[in-house]
Amino acid sequence: AQSVAQPEDQVNVAEGNPLTVKCTYSVSGNPYLFWYVQYPNRGLQFLLKYITGDNLVKGSYGFEAEFNKSQTSFHLKKPSALVSDSALYFCAVRDMAPRDLGYSTLTFGKGTMLLVSP
Amino acid sequence: NAGVTQTPKFQVLKTGQSMTLQCAQDMNHNSMYWYRQDPGMGLRLIYYSASEGTTDKGEVPNGYNVSRLNKREFSLRLESAAPSQTSVYFCASSFRPPTSLQETQYFGPGTRLLVL
């Protein structure tokens, strides 16, 4: 079964500093990896995804993520944090290998709250 | 283009009452999903519909039923609500290419449900 771990419940960073939100995954085949952001009382918004190719993926709002196959990680990064980046961030994985010609679904991590202080 | 819409935004139920959460998408997506979000547990899949006319159980289907009414609409029904079903419910949709798993899910704004 596929799984995602976000080891930090909360990440605190000062505005202007770089930020990293960690994610590790486990799948049986090659992974599709996603990052979503949830602002207070809102739905999830898609940030970026890794399918194949370049290990550094660029997404919305200046975010990027680095895929590392040997460490089974997909950490979310931003060079300079903004107070408005404060939100709940979810990593998700989809197994690329279909099982029995069926349909595989996304598995989400538990989320990491990012707090950016002025 | 409204994306994924959900109604109601908020609902209070008494134990044993029933209700249906509505979801609609206008992106011509073929796949739709229902998740619940609980503190410290992330999102857990309740049911999904890979295409019109099909539905399948996800990780936590007990106590729920779904109907894929047409390509646009996917409803979630609680026949006899329990306090354990107090949660935030999200609907999502995606376009699934026939020969690929390369798809992105897009989420609605959520329904907050409180069961007393």
PDB file of all heavy atoms in Angstrom, chain B residues 21-50:
ATOM      1  N   LEU B  21     -24.970  15.523   0.973  1.00  0.00           N
ATOM      2  CA  LEU B  21     -24.052  16.577   0.574  1.00  0.00           C
ATOM      3  C   LEU B  21     -23.950  16.562  -0.943  1.00  0.00           C
ATOM      4  O   LEU B  21     -23.762  15.509  -1.557  1.00  0.00           O
ATOM      5  CB  LEU B  21     -22.673  16.350   1.184  1.00  0.00           C
ATOM      6  CG  LEU B  21     -22.460  16.714   2.653  1.00  0.00           C
ATOM      7  CD1 LEU B  21     -23.297  15.841   3.554  1.00  0.00           C
ATOM      8  CD2 LEU B  21     -20.988  16.594   3.019  1.00  0.00           C
ATOM      9  N   GLN B  22     -24.071  17.747  -1.517  1.00  0.00           N
ATOM     10  CA  GLN B  22     -24.079  17.849  -2.972  1.00  0.00           C
ATOM     11  C   GLN B  22     -22.743  18.368  -3.476  1.00  0.00           C
ATOM     12  O   GLN B  22     -22.102  19.205  -2.843  1.00  0.00           O
ATOM     13  CB  GLN B  22     -25.195  18.802  -3.432  1.00  0.00           C
ATOM     14  CG  GLN B  22     -26.576  18.462  -2.900  1.00  0.00           C
ATOM     15  CD  GLN B  22     -27.185  17.257  -3.580  1.00  0.00           C
ATOM     16  OE1 GLN B  22     -26.645  16.713  -4.539  1.00  0.00           O
ATOM     17  NE2 GLN B  22     -28.335  16.814  -3.063  1.00  0.00           N
ATOM     18  N   CYS B  23     -22.345  17.868  -4.634  1.00  0.00           N
ATOM     19  CA  CYS B  23     -21.112  18.317  -5.286  1.00  0.00           C
ATOM     20  C   CYS B  23     -21.354  18.372  -6.786  1.00  0.00           C
ATOM     21  O   CYS B  23     -21.958  17.442  -7.354  1.00  0.00           O
ATOM     22  CB  CYS B  23     -19.968  17.361  -4.975  1.00  0.00           C
ATOM     23  SG  CYS B  23     -18.449  17.711  -5.896  1.00  0.00           S
ATOM     24  N   ALA B  24     -20.859  19.423  -7.411  1.00  0.00           N
ATOM     25  CA  ALA B  24     -20.965  19.541  -8.860  1.00  0.00           C
ATOM     26  C   ALA B  24     -19.684  20.171  -9.402  1.00  0.00           C
ATOM     27  O   ALA B  24     -19.067  21.000  -8.736  1.00  0.00           O
ATOM     28  CB  ALA B  24     -22.169  20.394  -9.252  1.00  0.00           C
ATOM     29  N   GLN B  25     -19.303  19.733 -10.619  1.00  0.00           N
ATOM     30  CA  GLN B  25     -18.127  20.324 -11.273  1.00  0.00           C
ATOM     31  C   GLN B  25     -18.499  20.671 -12.711  1.00  0.00           C
ATOM     32  O   GLN B  25     -19.271  19.952 -13.353  1.00  0.00           O
ATOM     33  CB  GLN B  25     -16.916  19.383 -11.193  1.00  0.00           C
ATOM     34  CG  GLN B  25     -17.173  17.963 -11.680  1.00  0.00           C
ATOM     35  CD  GLN B  25     -16.916  17.729 -13.140  1.00  0.00           C
ATOM     36  OE1 GLN B  25     -16.337  18.575 -13.837  1.00  0.00           O
ATOM     37  NE2 GLN B  25     -17.330  16.578 -13.628  1.00  0.00           N
ATOM     38  N   ASP B  26     -17.889  21.768 -13.177  1.00  0.00           N
ATOM     39  CA  ASP B  26     -18.201  22.225 -14.532  1.00  0.00           C
ATOM     40  C   ASP B  26     -16.968  22.170 -15.429  1.00  0.00           C
ATOM     41  O   ASP B  26     -16.862  22.926 -16.398  1.00  0.00           O
ATOM     42  CB  ASP B  26     -18.803  23.620 -14.510  1.00  0.00           C
ATOM     43  CG  ASP B  26     -17.856  24.658 -13.921  1.00  0.00           C
ATOM     44  OD1 ASP B  26     -16.719  24.304 -13.552  1.00  0.00           O
ATOM     45  OD2 ASP B  26     -18.252  25.835 -13.812  1.00  0.00           O
ATOM     46  N   MET B  27     -16.027  21.294 -15.091  1.00  0.00           N
ATOM     47  CA  MET B  27     -14.780  21.193 -15.847  1.00  0.00           C
ATOM     48  C   MET B  27     -14.765  19.988 -16.783  1.00  0.00           C
ATOM     49  O   MET B  27     -13.716  19.654 -17.336  1.00  0.00           O
ATOM     50  CB  MET B  27     -13.614  21.111 -14.852  1.00  0.00           C
ATOM     51  CG  MET B  27     -13.485  22.364 -14.006  1.00  0.00           C
ATOM     52  SD  MET B  27     -12.171  22.279 -12.781  1.00  0.00           S
ATOM     53  CE  MET B  27     -12.951  21.274 -11.534  1.00  0.00           C
ATOM     54  N   ASN B  28     -15.899  19.335 -16.929  1.00  0.00           N
ATOM     55  CA  ASN B  28     -16.023  18.155 -17.782  1.00  0.00           C
ATOM     56  C   ASN B  28     -15.088  17.020 -17.345  1.00  0.00           C
ATOM     57  O   ASN B  28     -14.610  16.248 -18.175  1.00  0.00           O
ATOM     58  CB  ASN B  28     -15.771  18.505 -19.256  1.00  0.00           C
ATOM     59  CG  ASN B  28     -16.387  17.485 -20.202  1.00  0.00           C
ATOM     60  OD1 ASN B  28     -17.441  16.901 -19.921  1.00  0.00           O
ATOM     61  ND2 ASN B  28     -15.743  17.249 -21.326  1.00  0.00           N
ATOM     62  N   HIS B  29     -14.838  16.946 -16.048  1.00  0.00           N
ATOM     63  CA  HIS B  29     -13.982  15.888 -15.518  1.00  0.00           C
ATOM     64  C   HIS B  29     -14.749  14.570 -15.455  1.00  0.00           C
ATOM     65  O   HIS B  29     -15.962  14.538 -15.237  1.00  0.00           O
ATOM     66  CB  HIS B  29     -13.486  16.260 -14.126  1.00  0.00           C
ATOM     67  CG  HIS B  29     -12.431  17.310 -14.146  1.00  0.00           C
ATOM     68  ND1 HIS B  29     -11.990  17.937 -13.002  1.00  0.00           N
ATOM     69  CD2 HIS B  29     -11.702  17.829 -15.157  1.00  0.00           C
ATOM     70  CE1 HIS B  29     -11.041  18.796 -13.320  1.00  0.00           C
ATOM     71  NE2 HIS B  29     -10.852  18.757 -14.623  1.00  0.00           N
ATOM     72  N   ASN B  30     -14.033  13.477 -15.630  1.00  0.00           N
ATOM     73  CA  ASN B  30     -14.695  12.178 -15.587  1.00  0.00           C
ATOM     74  C   ASN B  30     -14.638  11.520 -14.210  1.00  0.00           C
ATOM     75  O   ASN B  30     -15.447  10.650 -13.900  1.00  0.00           O
ATOM     76  CB  ASN B  30     -14.133  11.225 -16.645  1.00  0.00           C
ATOM     77  CG  ASN B  30     -12.615  11.167 -16.631  1.00  0.00           C
ATOM     78  OD1 ASN B  30     -11.954  11.775 -15.798  1.00  0.00           O
ATOM     79  ND2 ASN B  30     -12.052  10.425 -17.565  1.00  0.00           N
ATOM     80  N   SER B  31     -13.714  11.917 -13.375  1.00  0.00           N
ATOM     81  CA  SER B  31     -13.570  11.288 -12.059  1.00  0.00           C
ATOM     82  C   SER B  31     -13.945  12.268 -10.960  1.00  0.00           C
ATOM     83  O   SER B  31     -13.610  13.448 -11.030  1.00  0.00           O
ATOM     84  CB  SER B  31     -12.130  10.817 -11.858  1.00  0.00           C
ATOM     85  OG  SER B  31     -11.775   9.870 -12.841  1.00  0.00           O
ATOM     86  N   MET B  32     -14.597  11.734  -9.913  1.00  0.00           N
ATOM     87  CA  MET B  32     -14.979  12.571  -8.781  1.00  0.00           C
ATOM     88  C   MET B  32     -14.760  11.801  -7.488  1.00  0.00           C
ATOM     89  O   MET B  32     -14.752  10.560  -7.470  1.00  0.00           O
ATOM     90  CB  MET B  32     -16.438  13.025  -8.902  1.00  0.00           C
ATOM     91  CG  MET B  32     -16.678  13.895 -10.147  1.00  0.00           C
ATOM     92  SD  MET B  32     -18.339  14.581 -10.257  1.00  0.00           S
ATOM     93  CE  MET B  32     -18.278  15.865  -8.983  1.00  0.00           C
ATOM     94  N   TYR B  33     -14.576  12.540  -6.384  1.00  0.00           N
ATOM     95  CA  TYR B  33     -14.143  11.947  -5.120  1.00  0.00           C
ATOM     96  C   TYR B  33     -14.825  12.649  -3.948  1.00  0.00           C
ATOM     97  O   TYR B  33     -15.121  13.840  -4.020  1.00  0.00           O
ATOM     98  CB  TYR B  33     -12.628  12.128  -4.934  1.00  0.00           C
ATOM     99  CG  TYR B  33     -11.801  11.791  -6.150  1.00  0.00           C
ATOM    100  CD1 TYR B  33     -11.655  12.708  -7.174  1.00  0.00           C
ATOM    101  CD2 TYR B  33     -11.163  10.558  -6.269  1.00  0.00           C
ATOM    102  CE1 TYR B  33     -10.908  12.414  -8.299  1.00  0.00           C
ATOM    103  CE2 TYR B  33     -10.414  10.260  -7.387  1.00  0.00           C
ATOM    104  CZ  TYR B  33     -10.289  11.193  -8.398  1.00  0.00           C
ATOM    105  OH  TYR B  33      -9.541  10.894  -9.500  1.00  0.00           O
ATOM    106  N   TRP B  34     -14.982  11.901  -2.865  1.00  0.00           N
ATOM    107  CA  TRP B  34     -15.378  12.477  -1.584  1.00  0.00           C
ATOM    108  C   TRP B  34     -14.333  12.110  -0.532  1.00  0.00           C
ATOM    109  O   TRP B  34     -13.971  10.935  -0.376  1.00  0.00           O
ATOM    110  CB  TRP B  34     -16.733  11.955  -1.117  1.00  0.00           C
ATOM    111  CG  TRP B  34     -17.894  12.679  -1.710  1.00  0.00           C
ATOM    112  CD1 TRP B  34     -18.733  12.262  -2.689  1.00  0.00           C
ATOM    113  CD2 TRP B  34     -18.352  13.985  -1.343  1.00  0.00           C
ATOM    114  NE1 TRP B  34     -19.678  13.210  -2.967  1.00  0.00           N
ATOM    115  CE2 TRP B  34     -19.467  14.287  -2.144  1.00  0.00           C
ATOM    116  CE3 TRP B  34     -17.933  14.934  -0.400  1.00  0.00           C
ATOM    117  CZ2 TRP B  34     -20.166  15.479  -2.043  1.00  0.00           C
ATOM    118  CZ3 TRP B  34     -18.630  16.118  -0.306  1.00  0.00           C
ATOM    119  CH2 TRP B  34     -19.735  16.391  -1.115  1.00  0.00           C
ATOM    120  N   TYR B  35     -13.859  13.148   0.180  1.00  0.00           N
ATOM    121  CA  TYR B  35     -12.904  12.981   1.271  1.00  0.00           C
ATOM    122  C   TYR B  35     -13.502  13.553   2.549  1.00  0.00           C
ATOM    123  O   TYR B  35     -14.343  14.447   2.514  1.00  0.00           O
ATOM    124  CB  TYR B  35     -11.612  13.764   0.994  1.00  0.00           C
ATOM    125  CG  TYR B  35     -10.774  13.272  -0.149  1.00  0.00           C
ATOM    126  CD1 TYR B  35     -10.971  13.751  -1.440  1.00  0.00           C
ATOM    127  CD2 TYR B  35      -9.737  12.370   0.065  1.00  0.00           C
ATOM    128  CE1 TYR B  35     -10.177  13.331  -2.489  1.00  0.00           C
ATOM    129  CE2 TYR B  35      -8.929  11.944  -0.981  1.00  0.00           C
ATOM    130  CZ  TYR B  35      -9.162  12.431  -2.245  1.00  0.00           C
ATOM    131  OH  TYR B  35      -8.360  12.009  -3.287  1.00  0.00           O
ATOM    132  N   ARG B  36     -12.996  13.078   3.668  1.00  0.00           N
ATOM    133  CA  ARG B  36     -13.240  13.755   4.927  1.00  0.00           C
ATOM    134  C   ARG B  36     -11.905  14.178   5.528  1.00  0.00           C
ATOM    135  O   ARG B  36     -10.882  13.489   5.368  1.00  0.00           O
ATOM    136  CB  ARG B  36     -14.023  12.890   5.910  1.00  0.00           C
ATOM    137  CG  ARG B  36     -13.410  11.582   6.299  1.00  0.00           C
ATOM    138  CD  ARG B  36     -14.283  10.856   7.336  1.00  0.00           C
ATOM    139  NE  ARG B  36     -14.256  11.518   8.647  1.00  0.00           N
ATOM    140  CZ  ARG B  36     -15.022  11.172   9.672  1.00  0.00           C
ATOM    141  NH1 ARG B  36     -15.902  10.174   9.556  1.00  0.00           N
ATOM    142  NH2 ARG B  36     -14.937  11.816  10.827  1.00  0.00           N
ATOM    143  N   GLN B  37     -11.924  15.342   6.180  1.00  0.00           N
ATOM    144  CA  GLN B  37     -10.709  15.877   6.789  1.00  0.00           C
ATOM    145  C   GLN B  37     -10.924  16.010   8.274  1.00  0.00           C
ATOM    146  O   GLN B  37     -11.853  16.714   8.714  1.00  0.00           O
ATOM    147  CB  GLN B  37     -10.349  17.244   6.204  1.00  0.00           C
ATOM    148  CG  GLN B  37      -9.054  17.803   6.773  1.00  0.00           C
ATOM    149  CD  GLN B  37      -8.734  19.182   6.241  1.00  0.00           C
ATOM    150  OE1 GLN B  37      -9.623  19.930   5.839  1.00  0.00           O
ATOM    151  NE2 GLN B  37      -7.460  19.528   6.230  1.00  0.00           N
ATOM    152  N   ASP B  38     -10.090  15.351   9.056  1.00  0.00           N
ATOM    153  CA  ASP B  38     -10.146  15.413  10.494  1.00  0.00           C
ATOM    154  C   ASP B  38      -8.788  15.871  11.022  1.00  0.00           C
ATOM    155  O   ASP B  38      -7.754  15.540  10.438  1.00  0.00           O
ATOM    156  CB  ASP B  38     -10.503  14.040  11.066  1.00  0.00           C
ATOM    157  CG  ASP B  38     -11.839  13.540  10.535  1.00  0.00           C
ATOM    158  OD1 ASP B  38     -12.858  14.147  10.880  1.00  0.00           O
ATOM    159  OD2 ASP B  38     -11.849  12.569   9.747  1.00  0.00           O
ATOM    160  N   PRO B  39      -8.781  16.615  12.124  1.00  0.00           N
ATOM    161  CA  PRO B  39      -7.510  17.156  12.643  1.00  0.00           C
ATOM    162  C   PRO B  39      -6.470  16.059  12.854  1.00  0.00           C
ATOM    163  O   PRO B  39      -6.763  15.024  13.462  1.00  0.00           O
ATOM    164  CB  PRO B  39      -7.931  17.800  13.964  1.00  0.00           C
ATOM    165  CG  PRO B  39      -9.372  18.140  13.786  1.00  0.00           C
ATOM    166  CD  PRO B  39      -9.937  17.039  12.929  1.00  0.00           C
ATOM    167  N   GLY B  40      -5.262  16.299  12.370  1.00  0.00           N
ATOM    168  CA  GLY B  40      -4.165  15.358  12.571  1.00  0.00           C
ATOM    169  C   GLY B  40      -4.238  14.102  11.737  1.00  0.00           C
ATOM    170  O   GLY B  40      -3.392  13.210  11.873  1.00  0.00           O
ATOM    171  N   MET B  41      -5.244  14.009  10.849  1.00  0.00           N
ATOM    172  CA  MET B  41      -5.399  12.779  10.061  1.00  0.00           C
ATOM    173  C   MET B  41      -5.360  13.034   8.566  1.00  0.00           C
ATOM    174  O   MET B  41      -5.528  12.123   7.769  1.00  0.00           O
ATOM    175  CB  MET B  41      -6.703  12.072  10.436  1.00  0.00           C
ATOM    176  CG  MET B  41      -6.769  11.725  11.916  1.00  0.00           C
ATOM    177  SD  MET B  41      -8.141  10.669  12.325  1.00  0.00           S
ATOM    178  CE  MET B  41      -7.552   9.118  11.682  1.00  0.00           C
ATOM    179  N   GLY B  42      -5.165  14.262   8.169  1.00  0.00           N
ATOM    180  CA  GLY B  42      -5.120  14.555   6.742  1.00  0.00           C
ATOM    181  C   GLY B  42      -6.464  14.319   6.090  1.00  0.00           C
ATOM    182  O   GLY B  42      -7.511  14.413   6.717  1.00  0.00           O
ATOM    183  N   LEU B  43      -6.437  14.006   4.809  1.00  0.00           N
ATOM    184  CA  LEU B  43      -7.655  13.709   4.063  1.00  0.00           C
ATOM    185  C   LEU B  43      -7.748  12.206   3.850  1.00  0.00           C
ATOM    186  O   LEU B  43      -6.778  11.569   3.439  1.00  0.00           O
ATOM    187  CB  LEU B  43      -7.635  14.403   2.692  1.00  0.00           C
ATOM    188  CG  LEU B  43      -8.113  15.830   2.669  1.00  0.00           C
ATOM    189  CD1 LEU B  43      -7.039  16.763   3.192  1.00  0.00           C
ATOM    190  CD2 LEU B  43      -8.507  16.235   1.257  1.00  0.00           C
ATOM    191  N   ARG B  44      -8.920  11.687   4.094  1.00  0.00           N
ATOM    192  CA  ARG B  44      -9.147  10.261   3.872  1.00  0.00           C
ATOM    193  C   ARG B  44     -10.265  10.088   2.868  1.00  0.00           C
ATOM    194  O   ARG B  44     -11.314  10.725   2.971  1.00  0.00           O
ATOM    195  CB  ARG B  44      -9.471   9.554   5.196  1.00  0.00           C
ATOM    196  CG  ARG B  44      -8.296   9.518   6.163  1.00  0.00           C
ATOM    197  CD  ARG B  44      -8.672   8.811   7.458  1.00  0.00           C
ATOM    198  NE  ARG B  44      -9.659   9.555   8.221  1.00  0.00           N
ATOM    199  CZ  ARG B  44     -10.324   9.050   9.260  1.00  0.00           C
ATOM    200  NH1 ARG B  44     -10.110   7.802   9.641  1.00  0.00           N
ATOM    201  NH2 ARG B  44     -11.198   9.796   9.912  1.00  0.00           N
ATOM    202  N   LEU B  45     -10.047   9.197   1.923  1.00  0.00           N
ATOM    203  CA  LEU B  45     -10.988   8.997   0.836  1.00  0.00           C
ATOM    204  C   LEU B  45     -12.169   8.165   1.312  1.00  0.00           C
ATOM    205  O   LEU B  45     -11.996   7.076   1.867  1.00  0.00           O
ATOM    206  CB  LEU B  45     -10.284   8.306  -0.334  1.00  0.00           C
ATOM    207  CG  LEU B  45     -11.090   8.092  -1.596  1.00  0.00           C
ATOM    208  CD1 LEU B  45     -11.467   9.431  -2.236  1.00  0.00           C
ATOM    209  CD2 LEU B  45     -10.293   7.246  -2.593  1.00  0.00           C
ATOM    210  N   ILE B  46     -13.376   8.666   1.063  1.00  0.00           N
ATOM    211  CA  ILE B  46     -14.587   7.954   1.467  1.00  0.00           C
ATOM    212  C   ILE B  46     -15.079   7.084   0.296  1.00  0.00           C
ATOM    213  O   ILE B  46     -15.216   5.868   0.434  1.00  0.00           O
ATOM    214  CB  ILE B  46     -15.697   8.942   1.875  1.00  0.00           C
ATOM    215  CG1 ILE B  46     -15.209   9.889   2.967  1.00  0.00           C
ATOM    216  CG2 ILE B  46     -16.934   8.177   2.353  1.00  0.00           C
ATOM    217  CD1 ILE B  46     -16.176  11.017   3.277  1.00  0.00           C
ATOM    218  N   TYR B  47     -15.358   7.709  -0.814  1.00  0.00           N
ATOM    219  CA  TYR B  47     -15.792   7.035  -2.041  1.00  0.00           C
ATOM    220  C   TYR B  47     -15.236   7.797  -3.224  1.00  0.00           C
ATOM    221  O   TYR B  47     -14.928   8.971  -3.118  1.00  0.00           O
ATOM    222  CB  TYR B  47     -17.324   7.042  -2.158  1.00  0.00           C
ATOM    223  CG  TYR B  47     -18.035   5.878  -1.535  1.00  0.00           C
ATOM    224  CD1 TYR B  47     -18.509   5.959  -0.226  1.00  0.00           C
ATOM    225  CD2 TYR B  47     -18.280   4.709  -2.247  1.00  0.00           C
ATOM    226  CE1 TYR B  47     -19.189   4.893   0.362  1.00  0.00           C
ATOM    227  CE2 TYR B  47     -18.963   3.635  -1.669  1.00  0.00           C
ATOM    228  CZ  TYR B  47     -19.410   3.741  -0.365  1.00  0.00           C
ATOM    229  OH  TYR B  47     -20.089   2.689   0.208  1.00  0.00           O
ATOM    230  N   TYR B  48     -15.145   7.113  -4.348  1.00  0.00           N
ATOM    231  CA  TYR B  48     -14.796   7.797  -5.575  1.00  0.00           C
ATOM    232  C   TYR B  48     -15.587   7.208  -6.733  1.00  0.00           C
ATOM    233  O   TYR B  48     -16.143   6.107  -6.644  1.00  0.00           O
ATOM    234  CB  TYR B  48     -13.288   7.755  -5.829  1.00  0.00           C
ATOM    235  CG  TYR B  48     -12.713   6.370  -6.085  1.00  0.00           C
ATOM    236  CD1 TYR B  48     -12.545   5.891  -7.375  1.00  0.00           C
ATOM    237  CD2 TYR B  48     -12.306   5.572  -5.019  1.00  0.00           C
ATOM    238  CE1 TYR B  48     -11.986   4.649  -7.609  1.00  0.00           C
ATOM    239  CE2 TYR B  48     -11.752   4.321  -5.240  1.00  0.00           C
ATOM    240  CZ  TYR B  48     -11.593   3.871  -6.533  1.00  0.00           C
ATOM    241  OH  TYR B  48     -11.045   2.628  -6.769  1.00  0.00           O
ATOM    242  N   SER B  49     -15.604   7.985  -7.804  1.00  0.00           N
ATOM    243  CA  SER B  49     -16.270   7.566  -9.017  1.00  0.00           C
ATOM    244  C   SER B  49     -15.303   7.810 -10.172  1.00  0.00           C
ATOM    245  O   SER B  49     -15.051   8.951 -10.539  1.00  0.00           O
ATOM    246  CB  SER B  49     -17.553   8.378  -9.224  1.00  0.00           C
ATOM    247  OG  SER B  49     -18.105   8.128 -10.492  1.00  0.00           O
ATOM    248  N   ALA B  50     -14.750   6.744 -10.701  1.00  0.00           N
ATOM    249  CA  ALA B  50     -13.738   6.877 -11.755  1.00  0.00           C
ATOM    250  C   ALA B  50     -14.346   7.400 -13.049  1.00  0.00           C
ATOM    251  O   ALA B  50     -13.668   8.057 -13.838  1.00  0.00           O
ATOM    252  CB  ALA B  50     -13.035   5.549 -11.995  1.00  0.00           C
TER     253      ALA B  50
END
